[in-house]
Amino acid sequence: MAIQMDNKTPEERLILVEGFQENAERHYKELKGKLETTSDDVTEIKKAILGSDFNEKKGLVYIINDVDRR
């Protein structure tokens, strides 16, 4: 979305630039929140696959290997 800067006063240009900056900051905060959520999800998936102290390191990989041994 290109906005024509022609025929704009310096004040109008400043207002447009400030608006773009506010939008960029809002998008950054939103992306940061999504990144944190994704990071948490990846950590939980990793724990489920590899195991954790909570399940005595017996994740999905351990269970599959145990079934194969039997």
Side-chain angles (χ1 to χ4, degrees):
M1 178 174 120
I3 294 183
Q4 296 288 334
M5 289 283 194
D6 300 339
N7 302 324
K8 300 259 187 243
T9 66
E11 292 82 12
E12 291 171 326
R13 289 180 183 187
L14 181 60
I15 290 170
L16 288 173
V17 169
E18 288 174 348
F20 284 128
Q21 182 180 359
E22 289 173 6
N23 283 342
E25 289 173 0
R26 185 171 46 252
H27 286 291
Y28 172 74
K29 287 178 185 177
E30 187 175 320
L31 287 173
K32 185 176 176 184
K34 289 180 181 181
L35 179 61
E36 290 170 356
T37 301
T38 301
S39 178
D40 292 343
D41 291 346
V42 168
T43 300
E44 292 300 316
I45 292 168
K46 182 179 169 184
K47 286 178 184 177
I49 292 172
L50 300 176
S52 66
D53 291 335
F54 179 71
N55 60 9
E56 299 174 356
K57 304 288 184 194
K58 295 179 181 177
L60 183 62
V61 172
Y62 174 86
I63 293 169
I64 289 173
N65 288 337
D66 188 42
V67 169
D68 285 344
R69 280 192 297 262
R70 291 181 196 182

